[in-house]
Amino acid sequence: MAPSSSSGLTFKLHPLVIVNISDHYTRVKTQLNPPPSVCATENASNNGEAMLQPNPRVYGCVIGVQRGRTVEIFNSFELLFDPSTETLDRSFLEKKQELYKKVFPDFYILGWYSTGSDAEESDMLIHKALMDINESPVYVLLNPAINHAQKDLPVTIYESELHVIDGIPQLIFAHTSYTIETVEAERISVDHVAHLKPSDGGSAATQLAAHLTGIHSAIKMLNSRIRVLHQYLAAMQKGDIPCENSLLR
């Protein structure tokens, strides 16, 4: 277990960062492990060989501001990771940094994030690679495993500290405490999600199925109307029906 940090910094974490990391992980996991219906179709075409992947790790940068001894993490963005070399795509990082700087000129890269149950030795390589951008980056780790007995948020923030181990100075991760900080827009959004319940008393899955069914019906209706317009324009172009500019307008 990582020791506690002794830097004395105060960390404030905004809910948007947690939502972004969770969304990033969920999307990547769903792409690697598609639903059973999709798996069945793919397995049929691949002689029934299962291609399910273990829980993936995702990577990104966290951005925000540091005012004196207070570090406030406002937002995050995704990064590309090469598992063969265990390095980040540096050109992609610099491009994203430039784009975010145009939108949020006061925000700086404070560190990076990943997913997992605990910090790994290989994580220090990524951590050191970011030290030319921030000499003391923070590491935000989200544990995606569901633990119903856990009351605290499954998020840990690490700093790096230089410790002498067996006479050799080494950088190690030290976990630090943090508080959740919200602005008005975030409070409204989080409160809305927390109180979102099915109106008919059904489960969340039932509500999601009903929502997706409604979207599917709307797309089918839109597709049928576009098909009618396409057929009308094609017939007009062939000369099968007269051209009416008033309808085209």
Side-chain angles (χ1 to χ4, degrees):
M1 182 177 179
S4 299
S5 172
S6 58
S7 67
L9 294 176
T10 300
F11 289 90
K12 297 181 179 181
L13 181 65
H14 282 253
L16 180 60
V17 179
I18 303 175
V19 172
N20 286 346
I21 301 174
S22 178
D23 173 71
H24 186 189
Y25 171 82
T26 302
R27 284 188 285 106
V28 172
K29 183 179 179 181
T30 303
Q31 291 168 3
L32 294 177
N33 303 292
S37 59
V38 178
C39 289
T41 304
E42 292 181 351
N43 289 341
S45 60
N46 292 322
N47 298 325
E49 295 182 1
M51 298 298 291
L52 295 180
Q53 301 289 331
N55 291 338
R57 297 195 71 192
V58 297
Y59 302 85
C61 272
V62 293
I63 60 176
V65 296
Q66 179 171 355
R67 303 182 183 94
R69 306 294 294 173
T70 301
V71 179
E72 192 164 358
I73 306 173
F74 281 93
N75 206 340
S76 64
F77 59 84
E78 302 172 14
L79 291 178
L80 299 178
F81 179 76
D82 185 356
S84 61
T85 59
E86 296 188 342
T87 57
L88 299 173
D89 188 328
R90 194 53 181 252
S91 60
F92 181 80
L93 187 158
E94 293 172 353
K95 183 178 179 180
K96 294 285 287 187
Q97 182 184 15
E98 181 181 353
L99 292 174
Y100 264 83
K101 203 66 178 175
K102 293 178 180 178
V103 182
F104 305 105
D106 297 329
F107 287 2
Y108 296 90
I109 291 181
L110 299 176
W112 63 293
Y113 73 76
S114 184
T115 53
S117 58
D118 200 359
E120 301 180 5
E121 291 185 9
S122 59
D123 293 344
M124 185 56 73
L125 298 176
I126 302 175
H127 198 78
K128 291 179 179 179
L130 293 175
M131 285 185 170
D132 61 334
I133 299 177
N134 188 317
E135 63 181 13
S136 184
V138 298
Y139 176 24
V140 180
L141 182 67
L142 171 70
N143 185 1
I146 299 175
N147 183 359
H148 296 288
Q150 184 177 354
K151 301 299 182 182
D152 298 329
L153 288 172
V155 177
T156 307
I157 296 182
Y158 295 97
E159 295 181 82
S160 55
E161 294 183 347
L162 189 63
H163 286 211
V164 177
I165 302 175
D166 296 331
I168 302 174
Q170 299 180 29
L171 272 179
I172 65 171
F173 286 120
H175 66 81
T176 183
S177 59
Y178 64 90
T179 57
I180 298 297
E181 187 77 10
T182 60
V183 295
E184 186 64 24
E186 289 176 318
R187 283 194 291 271
I188 294 173
S189 300
V190 171
D191 184 71
H192 175 72
V193 172
H195 292 86
L196 185 62
K197 295 181 180 178
S199 58
D200 59 355
S203 64
T206 302
Q207 185 186 36
L208 177 61
H211 176 66
L212 294 178
T213 300
I215 293 177
H216 181 260
S217 299
I219 293 175
K220 284 180 64 178
M221 179 66 71
L222 177 62
N223 182 57
S224 64
R225 293 181 178 181
I226 292 176
R227 189 181 297 112
V228 171
L229 290 174
H230 178 266
Q231 292 172 351
Y232 176 78
L233 293 175
M236 186 181 295
Q237 186 178 31
K238 293 178 180 178
D240 296 339
I241 58 176
C243 179
E244 296 187 25
N245 292 326
S246 60
L247 287 177
L248 292 176
R249 283 194 293 269

